[in-house]
Every structure is written in C-alpha cells, then in structure tokens.
Amino acid sequence: MNVSINTTELKETLELTPSDQNIMLVGKHGIGKSEILTSYFNSKGLKVVTLFLGQMADPGDIIGIPSKVEKQDAKGKATSRTDFTPPYWFPQDGQPIVLFLDELNRARPEILQTVMDLTLNRKLAGKALPEGSHVISAVNDGDEYQLTDLDPALVSRFNIYEFKPTVEEWLNWAVSEKLDERVVNFIQDNPTWLDGDNCEYKGLDKSADRRAWKHVSDIMLKVDVIKDIHKRIIAGIVGVGAAAAFIQSAQQRNAITGKDLLLKYDKTLKTVERYQLHEFAILNESVFRFLENVSLNEREKKVAAENLGQYIDFLRTKKKREALANFTTIFDKGTYEKAIAFMVVNAPEVYAMLNDFVDSLTISPSSTTKSQMN
C-alpha cells in the first residue's frame, strides 16, 4: 500500500523533498494533481512543463529530432555525428524547471525507456536538465484505465504517494475560486458525489470528478432558473445520477450558508432556529470556510464580527449544546487559520470564549460542558 497524502501534506512534501529526488503521485483523474503542482511551483518562481506521456507516439516527442552535425577536426578533416535538436519544452536559458510527466503508466514502452535516463541522470540524449530541476510523475490507478505495467527499475526511482485530497480542501478551494454556491452547497451536503463514488464505471458513461464539478459551476453561474436543457448539459458533465441528485438539491435546498449568517443574520435567524444538529454542523463549517476564503471590506468585517457574536450567544442561550460543541471543535482543530485570525482581530470576545471553552473541556469534559453551555 502506498502512503496516502492530502493537498496540504502534498505541499509540505514538495517543500521538503530535494530537487534530485523524483516524486510519483498515484490517484484518479480529475482530482487536481496538475493544478496544485502548477500553482505551488509557480509561487516558487519555477516553470512547470507538463508532458502527457499517454498521448506520445514516438520518443522524439521527448528527446527531440535527430540531425546530422558536420564539423572539421584540427587537421581540417570533415567529421559528422548525430545530435538531437532539443524539443520545444527543453529549457534553453539554463533556468531550472519542473517536468511533470502525466499519465506515466499509459505511455508506450519505448516512451518509458526514454524516461529512464531522465529520472536517473536528469539527462535526455546527453543534454542535462538545469541544476535544481524537478521531475514529478502522475499515474492513474484503477481497473477503469488502460494501463501499462511499469518496470520495477523505473518505479524504484520515485518516491511514491497516493494523492487523496480531502473534500474539505476542495470546498475551501471552491469558495476561494467563487464557484457557484449551489455546487458548493451540494458537495458539502453530499460529499460522496465529489469523486463519483456513487457510480460504477461503464465504458463511456460519464462520472463525476472534481474537474467536472468546476465545469458544472461554470454553467450554473449563468443560470438562475434551472430548465430541462440545463439538466441535460449537467448530465453530460457529471453523469445522469450525479446530475439528478444535484438538480434536486439546487431546486429544493433552502439552507443557510456561512455568508448568509454573517452578513444577513436577522434574515436567517428564523430558519436557523429550526435547525437540527446535522444542519448546524454544515452551517458551522460553512461559517469557518467563508471567513477563511473571502476578502471583506471594513464594513463587512464589522457586520460579520457582530453577527458571529450574536450566533454564538444564540447557541449558548438557546441551549444548542451539541451545535456549540461542534463549532468549538472546528475552532480547536486550527484548520481554518485565517478564520481564527479574523476572530482574534475583529471578534476577540468570541475568540476568548472559545479558547476558555476548549481549556475547560481539556480539564473536565463532563462537568464543564454543562457549565459552559448553560
């Protein structure tokens, strides 16, 4: 079994791994491998070159085209040799790059042989990659893919990790990228649909994945009233089952989001008062996610801080004990660092209360739960 890492752990792994060590990521298609790698390395000032090895038919696509080079030796005698014209992607300026070898286990055997020297010696046809260059590969894993068995000697040249980004990481990304709220809400309520876990692959049947939900959002941002044509379009993106579940959710869901609660508290209170615990859990996560990913102006910060305080007071005074405990648990995990920083600066009373509550639970959970939540 390969070691499993999420998005946060992948970034930490990239930070710690020296450039002369190769990394292989194992995972499904459409989970954001190339996007995350490109974003991370671009932030470090490195160019990412992606080669889709499964689409290459000839080693020349990687090493370049052979050509005859004629020279004269010291005695004036003509000599010739074969050299390779560097391919389009090969760095000519001496600056290090990140070479991302996607679909490694869908490549032809002759392509894989070309990759061998690259992964061991950082060379292609005798030409060395610039010092500090990284080589990272990605492979698809699953019975639904047409795959090539990899040579153990090639596999041994990589540090191998199974990449499993969490639903929470995708939701945070979706909010920060301003995906359609109906898509975000649906995945928050139905996380198993994010990676198509509710459906079995059958030939050309479409199934949902993270890339596909971004495409759905692109469609939905243009749609106010869902019509039959929209249902068909979405089904072609994520499959019939996922589309049906999403459409039903988008048409029926009347849930309050973190944005609604913090910016329009008075209009949401009547609905929130009727919430059950599982609905509070979703709302609490949405509050943290909103504060984590959205930039607010000074007026909005003031409104959000006041409404956050009112919400916490509501949970305490209305004896919503389990809901307050859930909110405090999310706070204590420390996952949403920007949200916590917002509380420190803009809602210090809330921050202090949550910290006191966490401390009291650490000392005596059974006794303090009652005293803190009453």
Side-chain angles (χ1 to χ4, degrees), residues 268-276 280 314 318 320:
T268 65
L269 187 56
K270 288 185 179 180
T271 300
V272 172
E273 285 178 333
R274 299 192 297 269
Y275 269 13
Q276 302 297 314
F280 275 114
F314 162 76
K318 295 298 183 179
K320 304 292 185 180

Side-chain angles (χ1 to χ4, degrees), residues 26-290:
V26 181
K28 295 182 62 177
H29 67 279
I31 58 176
K33 296 186 290 291
S34 60
E35 291 87 350
I36 292 169
L37 290 171
T38 300
S39 175
Y40 172 82
F41 283 112
N42 284 171
S43 71
K44 303 293 184 181
L46 290 172
K47 178 182 178 181
V48 178
V49 177
T50 301
L51 300 181
F52 295 97
L53 301 188
Q55 301 176 15
M56 293 184 172
D58 187 271
D61 295 335
I62 299 180
I63 63 176
I65 304 300
S67 60
K68 185 178 181 180
V69 178
E70 296 186 351
K71 292 184 178 181
Q72 288 186 342
D73 61 19
K75 297 180 179 181
K77 183 179 180 180
T79 63
S80 63
R81 63 184 177 85
T82 299
D83 198 359
F84 286 83
T85 302
Y88 73 93
W89 60 265
F90 196 89
Q92 301 293 319
D93 55 5
Q95 296 299 311
I97 65 169
V98 178
L99 189 57
F100 180 44
L101 306 175
D102 204 359
E103 303 177 339
L104 183 68
N105 59 340
R106 301 182 70 182
R108 296 170 178 266
E110 55 270 27
I111 300 295
L112 293 177
Q113 289 300 318
T114 303
V115 170
M116 292 283 279
D117 189 35
L118 177 64
T119 56
L120 181 61
N121 301 312
R122 290 295 199 280
K123 290 184 178 181
L124 281 176
K127 296 180 176 64
L129 290 176
E131 186 73 22
S133 293
H134 299 255
V135 176
I136 299 176
S137 71
V139 301
N140 297 322
D141 186 34
D143 295 336
E144 65 268 35
Y145 303 107
Q146 295 179 356
L147 306 177
T148 302
D149 290 334
L150 295 179
D151 189 319
L154 176 60
V155 173
S156 69
R157 298 176 184 181
F158 289 90
N159 304 341
I160 303 178
Y161 307 100
E162 184 175 9
F163 182 46
K164 287 187 174 182
T166 66
V167 175
E168 290 74 17
E169 288 172 334
W170 186 87
L171 288 169
N172 277 332
W173 171 83
V175 171
S176 68
E177 293 295 315
K178 296 181 173 55
L179 266 64
D180 188 89
E181 286 189 357
R182 288 164 291 187
V183 174
V184 176
N185 292 337
F186 174 69
I187 297 301
Q188 180 173 281
D189 295 347
N190 307 273
T192 56
W193 278 115
L194 179 58
D195 295 310
D197 292 341
N198 286 344
C199 49
E200 181 181 351
Y201 177 79
K202 296 178 181 178
L204 291 178
D205 286 356
K206 282 290 293 186
S207 63
D209 59 46
R210 297 170 189 232
R211 184 187 300 122
W213 286 116
K214 169 63 167 63
H215 294 169
V216 171
S217 172
D218 294 340
I219 299 294
M220 294 303 297
L221 287 171
K222 305 175 183 178
V223 174
D224 291 325
V225 179
I226 299 175
K227 301 178 180 178
D228 185 64
I229 183 59
H230 303 135
K231 300 176 184 179
R232 293 173 179 272
I233 292 172
I234 294 170
I237 300 173
V238 295
V240 175
F246 168 71
I247 296 298
Q248 183 179 18
S249 169
Q251 291 177 331
Q252 296 181 354
R253 191 181 194 277
N254 191 31
I256 303 300
T257 66
K259 178 181 179 180
D260 297 330
L261 183 79
L262 295 182
L263 299 183
K264 303 174 183 177
Y265 182 77
D266 291 340
K267 295 181 179 180
T268 65
L269 187 56
K270 288 185 179 180
T271 300
V272 172
E273 285 178 333
R274 299 192 297 269
Y275 269 13
Q276 302 297 314
L277 178 58
H278 72 280
E279 294 170 306
F280 275 114
I282 293 173
L283 176 59
N284 289 342
E285 198 82 39
S286 182
V287 167
F288 278 92
R289 191 175 297 118
F290 174 73

Side-chain angles (χ1 to χ4, degrees), residues 258-265 287 290-291 294 296-312 342-343 346-347 350:
K259 178 181 179 180
D260 297 330
L261 183 79
L262 295 182
L263 299 183
K264 303 174 183 177
Y265 182 77
V287 167
F290 174 73
L291 293 176
V294 178
L296 302 175
N297 60 39
E298 291 304 314
R299 184 192 68 80
E300 290 171 332
K301 288 179 182 178
K302 183 178 179 180
V303 171
E306 291 177 353
N307 289 339
L308 178 62
Q310 290 189 67
Y311 177 58
I312 297 300
F342 173 89
M343 297 178 196
N346 300 283
V350 172

Side-chain angles (χ1 to χ4, degrees), residues 319-333:
K319 302 185 185 300
K320 304 292 185 180
R321 301 179 178 181
E322 294 85 354
L324 181 56
N326 171 263
F327 192 96
T328 306
T329 298
I330 299 172
F331 169 84
D332 189 39
K333 286 181 179 178

